[in-house]
Amino acid sequence: MTAYQTLSDIEEIKKLKARYCRFVDTRNWPGLRGLFTDDARSTLGGEDQSADEFVSLAREWLGESTSVHSVCMPEIEIADPGTASGVWGMEDIVTFPSNPGEAPKGIHGWGHYQEEYRKVDNRWLIHRMALHRLRLDPLEGGFPDA
């Protein structure tokens, strides 16, 4: 594998993660599902689930909220031409609708995504994703109802 190919693959994985954040925040659920391999697994909050289950739970939990997800400081390792891994620093803010005069409920969190990627039909996809939160603060109105 050439240095050029390695750098090209890393850039493609960075774009994949950028799309992940954008699709979550814009509620593009079909687009989000398309970023995962067919047999992908995700672990959030200690729960292991398929990509379909993850997208369904995200859609249900985020509901009418407004969210902003940001990732940075990628540590991407290309293992071979078809597999890679990465760790990303993350920050998110999720605000839920509130009644007039009430402080919004929501969360402000920080942590790391640990991921594995697979190249399928010449396209990098998320094969395994785990979010490890380091800190989770409520917004002024408190944590959202679970």
Side-chain angles (χ1 to χ4, degrees):
M1 200 153 110
T2 67
Y4 172 81
Q5 186 60 55
T6 298
L7 291 173
S8 177
D9 286 341
I10 288 170
E11 285 303 309
E12 288 303 313
I13 291 169
K14 288 177 181 179
K15 287 193 248 181
L16 169 67
K17 193 61 180 178
R19 285 184 197 103
Y20 168 88
C21 292
R22 180 169 51 90
F23 289 170
V24 169
D25 292 340
T26 61
R27 309 305 189 253
N28 180 344
W29 307 121
L32 181 65
R33 177 58 185 92
L35 301 178
F36 292 87
T37 62
D38 289 341
D39 60 344
R41 302 298 297 174
S42 141
T43 304
L44 302 172
E47 294 288 323
D48 185 67
Q49 63 238 343
S50 70
D52 291 330
E53 291 168 327
F54 165 72
V55 171
S56 178
L57 288 169
R59 181 181 194 154
E60 180 183 329
W61 190 77
L62 289 169
E64 297 299 317
S65 71
T66 300
S67 62
V68 179
H69 289 80
S70 201
V71 293
C72 60
M73 304 179 303
E75 302 172 52
I76 299 169
E77 299 289 332
I78 306 298
D80 59 51
T83 61
S85 61
V87 178
W88 297 82
M90 66 77 64
E91 179 178 7
D92 62 350
I93 298 174
V94 183
T95 305
F96 291 84
S98 60
N99 295 321
E102 289 182 357
K105 290 184 178 184
I107 60 167
H108 189 182
W110 299 263
H112 294 95
Y113 281 102
Q114 290 184 305
E115 298 178 332
E116 295 175 12
Y117 311 99
R118 298 287 182 269
K119 202 175 222 183
V120 178
D121 295 329
N122 209 32
R123 186 172 162 240
W124 285 103
L125 299 172
I126 300 167
H127 180 66
R128 185 86 179 99
M129 178 179 75
L131 173 58
H132 303 281
R133 289 199 177 270
L134 299 174
R135 182 173 174 165
L136 187 61
D137 294 338
L139 297 185
E140 186 180 347
F143 284 111
D145 299 327

